[in-house]
Amino acid sequence: QVQLVESGGGLVQAGGSLSLSCAASGRPFNVLTMGWFRQAPGKEREFVAAFSWSGRTAAADSVKGRFTISRDNAKNTMYLQMNSLKPEDTALYYCAAKFAASLDDYKYTYWGQGTQVTVSS
């Protein structure tokens, strides 16, 4: 079992920045592929970015150039640095984990509770 706890959400003005963190426990962090997803009210959950245990990364087109995913295996933590935020980035952001290295599917096994990000115009 893997436990995931997100933190760092909040309210920010458009053009501002926020940094999210996801702390993992229960399994060695360096064997986990980690991902960020988000869900806005009335919309389906969507992929944001991912960082495989093998070192590869992926990001949605909508956030490329603005969001940066990173991980610190020594701290069992993944991060999402979000810059140039837009009102359409407003959503509940979820951290997710799986053992498979593939970044081509969004079939994650473990999920956090989410942290709210609100971007005002």
Side-chain angles (χ1 to χ4, degrees), residues 26-102:
R27 287 290 185 272
F29 190 69
N30 61 359
V31 302
L32 296 173
T33 288
M34 303 295 296
W36 287 103
F37 291 77
R38 66 187 182 185
Q39 187 167 19
K43 295 187 177 181
E44 293 188 353
R45 186 166 57 192
E46 64 175 1
F47 170 75
V48 176
F51 203 135
S52 76
W53 57 256
S54 60
R56 294 184 299 119
T57 61
D61 288 343
S62 59
V63 306
K64 283 180 180 177
R66 300 189 299 123
F67 292 10
T68 301
I69 189 171
S70 61
R71 62 189 291 165
D72 186 336
N73 288 346
K75 295 183 178 180
N76 295 345
T77 303
M78 173 180 65
Y79 306 94
L80 185 68
Q81 178 63 42
M82 304 184 295
N83 299 328
S84 302
L85 283 161
K86 304 175 181 179
E88 51 263 44
D89 294 318
T90 294
L92 188 61
Y93 282 70
Y94 294 93
C95 169
K98 61 178 178 177
F99 293 110
S102 171

